[in-house]
Amino acid sequence: MKATAIAGANIALIKYWGRADDRINLPLTNSVSLTLDKLTTRTTVEFDTSLRSDTLAINGAPQSGRSLARVVGVMDRIRDRAKTTAHARIASTNSFAAAAGMASSASAFAALPTAAFAALGVRLSPEELSAFARLGSGSACRSVLGGFVEWVAGTDHATSVAQQIAPASHMDLHDVVLVFSDEEKAVKSAEGHAFAKTSPLNLGRLTAVADMLPRLRAAIAARDLSAMGEIAEQDALLMHSVMMTSSPSLAYWKAETIEGIHAVRRWRAEGLPCYFTIDAGPNLHVLVEGSRAPEVVRRARETFRLPPERIVDAGPGEGARLVPDHLF
Ligand code: DP6
């Protein structure tokens, strides 16, 4: 009745922004990401028929309110699927300091159903597990699988799932994260999705994404960093254009974000093939071949005077998996 899973964060090359169905996090479009080997969450779930409700501790701190409610919502769907009414003790720890300003929900909600179904002795395919991860946080469904992953938008719970495009070993693509700010964002992505449709640019972005998806799949198959990078930059700029022009307007960038965009373009002109992408926050993700990642780290340290703990060099990672060492 007890199992522990570990899962990594992921960085989207074509983003998930905007939902077709808020209740079950159906996206407006497919998205594509790389699962990372850093920024992991480890989660232990133990079902106990004597418990009257689920309990949750994150990094040792007991949770209540919204953070507990979000997990209980997913646990209720897991109980329905496994045909049980038992509640669970859940504990979760992140490999990165909460202060790192990195979202932990993708890794957390990928680890949760992986551990919970294993604790119940119910074996699901990674695709079906990804659907349960999606219920907690849309982007989490992509972290259930390793390497390059496409989240197929689908039309209902069963069809909106993540699928692997290529394993982690396919290409040594790194995401060097420059953590410019660790402040909590004013509008969480969970709420921001609702505004996407209010931007006059949203339909334009969706049209562009439909064109970019097959090109990105081909670029990944060909291990073509420049083609992948150009698409990733284009979609990050499209997504942030939608964010900035929605009602309300969401402006996630800081001055350093724009300086970072210019720096990446300068480094590229100087012969270092690297590309940027940006999530719902001010931090810059620099996409680069693993062998050249240390150069990006060095240049970022010099240009932005970032302390070592504010630069995370992450490589391709495996999907969510069971591990023997429980948290309690
Ligand atoms: C901008 O609703 O999955 O990162 O639950 O806050 O992790 P959280 O976010 P979610 O939206 C993620 C949006 C994004 C783009 C992406 O990862 O595709």
Side-chain angles (χ1 to χ4, degrees):
M1 294 299 267
K2 189 185 205 174
T4 299
I6 188 162
N10 69 76
I11 182 66
L13 307 176
I14 288 183
K15 308 288 186 188
Y16 153 50
W17 194 250
R19 299 190 187 113
D21 185 332
D22 289 330
R23 289 167 308 124
I24 57 169
N25 292 341
L26 290 192
L28 288 176
T29 177
N30 291 21
S31 55
V32 175
S33 60
L34 176 70
T35 300
L36 303 174
D37 63 352
K38 301 263 171 66
L39 310 168
T40 57
T41 299
R42 178 186 297 264
T43 299
T44 298
V45 179
E46 180 178 37
F47 285 89
D48 181 341
T49 48
S50 71
L51 286 175
R52 302 187 54 163
S53 60
D54 297 322
T55 66
L56 170 68
I58 299 178
N59 293 331
Q63 304 291 306
S64 58
R66 274 168 67 165
S67 93
L68 175 64
R70 198 167 164 188
V71 165
V72 169
V74 177
M75 293 297 289
D76 286 341
R77 296 294 301 262
I78 291 173
R79 277 185 278 270
D80 281 352
R81 173 68 176 79
K83 299 191 175 54
T84 178
T85 53
H87 290 99
R89 220 169 271 119
I90 306 160
S92 207
T93 57
N94 296 319
S95 72
F96 45 99
M102 301 295 307
S104 54
S105 60
S107 52
F109 282 105
L112 180 71
T114 306
F117 279 111
L120 290 165
V122 177
R123 282 183 70 98
L124 300 188
S125 66
E127 275 189 24
E128 192 177 354
L129 275 178
S130 78
F132 286 91
R134 188 200 69 241
L135 297 173
S137 156
S139 57
C141 73
R142 299 186 309 238
S143 278
V144 171
L145 290 107
F148 294 87
V149 178
E150 179 160 351
W151 171 12
V152 179
T155 51
D156 58 13
H157 178 68
T159 54
S160 188
V161 296
Q163 294 173 343
Q164 190 179 64
I165 299 179
S169 58
H170 176 70
M171 179 180 174
D172 191 25
L173 179 66
H174 279 224
D175 172 14
V176 179
V177 193
L178 312 186
V179 183
F180 292 131
S181 170
D182 57 10
E183 275 170 40
E184 182 125 354
K185 27 189 173 182
V187 177
K188 294 208 160 106
S189 9
E191 295 144 42
H193 290 285
F195 311 135
K197 282 179 177 168
T198 67
S199 165
L201 303 183
N202 190 48
L203 286 179
R205 174 179 175 248
L206 296 177
T207 306
V209 165
D211 169 70
M212 288 188 290
L213 277 167
R215 290 197 285 121
L216 179 59
R217 287 184 206 113
I220 291 171
R223 302 182 179 86
D224 182 344
L225 175 64
S226 70
M228 292 163 62
E230 274 164 32
I231 292 168
E233 287 194 356
Q234 170 81 334
D235 189 49
L237 296 172
L238 285 168
M239 179 183 75
H240 282 272
S241 303
V242 169
M243 289 165 159
M244 289 185 205
T245 52
S246 67
S247 310
S249 165
L250 307 176
Y252 286 111
W253 295 3
K254 303 232 183 231
E256 294 94 323
T257 316
I258 304 196
E259 283 167 27
I261 290 173
H262 288 297
V264 166
R265 289 182 172 164
R266 192 168 62 242
W267 299 340
R268 201 152 73 218
E270 289 167 2
L272 175 57
C274 60
Y275 297 83
F276 67 81
T277 184
I278 308 163
D279 278 342
N283 302 327
L284 204 77
H285 295 254
V286 185
L287 304 168
V288 61
E289 287 264 0
S291 62
R292 315 277 315 252
E295 256 177 275
V296 168
V297 171
R298 186 177 53 73
R299 285 176 189 240
R301 213 175 274 163
E302 283 168 14
T303 310
F304 300 102
R305 308 244 162 261
L306 284 168
E309 69 275 12
R310 292 225 177 201
I311 303 180
V312 181
D313 177 7
E318 301 299 327
R321 60 220 171 263
L322 297 170
V323 290
D325 26 343
H326 303 307
L327 289 170
F328 59 85

